[in-house]
Amino acid sequence: MMNKKARDFPLYPNEVTNDFLSMCFGESVISFELDTSMTAGGVLADAFRVFNIKYDTDNELPKSCFVKCTKEIPEVVELCLATQVYAKEVYFYSTLIKKVKDVIRVPECYGIFKDENDEECKEFCLVLEDFDQENWMPFDQFDNPMDFEDTSMLMRDLGSFHAACWHEPVSNEPGLGPYKAHWQSLNDSFWDDEGTAWDQVLPKWKEVYGEELLSLVDSEVEETILKINEIYISDNGKAIQESLIEELQKRPRTITHGDARGNNICKSNDGNTIGIIDWQMWAAGPASNEFSQLWFNSYSLESGMIHRLEELTKVYYTSLTDSNPDIKASYPFDLLMEDTKLIFINMWIQYVGFTLGSIEGYKDPEQEKSKANWREMMKRNMETVHYSGSLEAFKKFISSKGLD
């Protein structure tokens, strides 16, 4: 792996060169092709595929790779820097991968490029193994979503992965401090001098999308979302938020991917292996941290998957406790389910904050596909919160803390 002192690495597809690829693979590259079709699907970073790589000599080196770099939308970049998205992914592929790859399939890393003085990794480039079509089938949360059997396989793999990393100690490295949800700063800034993030998002959404945000969902879902907002704007709103994170910090810690949604999951063509990409939102914390992105983004309401939340969580829990039977005593299934629903609430508030910070970027006509994808994700988020029963779990938690 390589760290460059100056920006002589690509941030955009048209900056990839034969010389750059030759530096990555240690062999002279004479030609290649690009596929940028998946770039719009990346919310936090841009990514594109380099394929049909031809070398000066015959060899067994990769014939394709995946390049990941800073998002082109400035508003998204600022949010990513505030939450260490880029720094955490660079740390993962430079350091943490040595531990994680023994228990779950992740892409190999061929190169890490950034300015050595850029601790935030504001400009970075990762050159990663391509889970190519000859060996892997990528899922897409819109066009090729995971079905029940696919999700069961993922849940089993996540269970064994978490069990292997159980009791991860606290340290000062990125992502390894005391647990906070990845975008927790967005929750913390829900309240500001201009009002709540929710109150600010609603008119901006109407301006950009030409429709009300809550018009995306039915009246029952709308009622749930409004009740959650009422709780957050109440006199105890900030105390409830702080108490929630404090409670989750008491749980056993493991390493979680944190963004295991459909677009980041692949299945080997022999059907035996799940591969997970995009390790930019990983964190050490409660196992329940793993599931909000998975459920918020991967399935439409029409798929019926959210109604099988408990069933699939049991698949995960069986794998977790089969791998480490001691976990049953310290972290019972019912507590895992309650924690998962509470983190759904926490994640919803983060999505409100993320929308507020990034929605201006969707005015750019070139971001039309990203804009449409975000609309669908926000719809799914609200429906997931409602049909998971998260509001009821949230009310129960608030009552248990005497904050109602």
Side-chain angles (χ1 to χ4, degrees), residues 318-336:
T318 298
S319 174
L320 177 75
T321 54
D322 283 351
S323 300
N324 185 345
D326 293 340
I327 293 174
K328 280 188 176 181
S330 62
Y331 200 40
F333 176 78
D334 289 346
L335 185 56
L336 168 65

Side-chain angles (χ1 to χ4, degrees), residues 97-236:
I97 191 173
K98 300 178 182 67
K99 177 178 182 179
V100 171
K101 70 179 182 180
D102 291 336
V103 289
I104 198 163
R105 185 68 165 87
V106 301
E108 295 291 338
C109 185
Y110 305 128
I112 299 174
F113 299 87
K114 72 179 192 70
D115 188 316
E116 64 180 14
N117 297 317
D118 181 11
E119 294 183 2
E120 295 180 310
C121 301
K122 185 172 184 178
E123 293 185 335
F124 79 99
C125 174
L126 298 174
V127 183
L128 303 169
E129 176 188 2
D130 175 29
F131 283 178
D132 60 273
Q133 293 182 355
E134 291 183 9
N135 300 296
W136 296 90
M137 181 191 72
F139 292 105
D140 183 283
Q141 55 207 41
F142 302 119
D143 299 327
N144 181 35
M146 294 182 289
D147 62 19
F148 181 83
E149 294 304 320
D150 298 324
T151 307
S152 295
M153 186 175 178
L154 171 62
M155 288 293 193
R156 287 190 290 269
D157 282 5
L158 288 173
S160 58
F161 161 49
H162 290 171
C165 301
W166 208 250
H167 292 311
E168 178 67 31
V170 175
S171 78
N172 293 325
E173 299 294 346
L176 294 177
Y179 171 71
K180 282 196 173 183
H182 181 79
W183 291 338
Q184 195 63 39
S185 61
L186 299 179
N187 295 65
D188 297 338
S189 61
F190 181 79
W191 309 266
D192 64 24
D193 295 337
E194 298 181 32
T196 70
W198 176 254
D199 291 334
Q200 295 174 66
V201 156
L202 293 180
K204 286 182 178 291
W205 186 277
K206 181 70 178 294
E207 177 187 356
V208 173
Y209 284 93
E211 61 186 342
E212 301 290 347
L213 175 59
L214 288 171
S215 71
L216 303 181
V217 296
D218 64 32
S219 59
E220 290 185 355
V221 177
E222 177 181 0
E223 183 179 1
T224 292
I225 297 302
L226 291 174
K227 285 181 177 178
I228 292 170
N229 185 62
E230 287 176 9
I231 292 171
Y232 267 83
I233 65 174
S234 70
D235 292 342
N236 286 336

Side-chain angles (χ1 to χ4, degrees), residues 236-254:
N236 286 336
K238 291 185 179 180
I240 291 168
Q241 173 65 43
E242 291 171 1
S243 182
L244 174 58
I245 296 303
E246 289 173 2
E247 185 69 20
L248 293 170
Q249 288 177 342
K250 298 175 184 177
R251 304 295 186 257
R253 285 163 55 92
T254 187

Side-chain angles (χ1 to χ4, degrees), residues 250-273:
K250 298 175 184 177
R251 304 295 186 257
R253 285 163 55 92
T254 187
I255 299 294
T256 60
H257 177 277
D259 195 18
R261 57 193 173 90
N263 276 29
N264 290 335
I265 310 300
C266 301
K267 182 170 68 173
S268 61
N269 286 341
D270 63 12
N272 295 326
T273 305

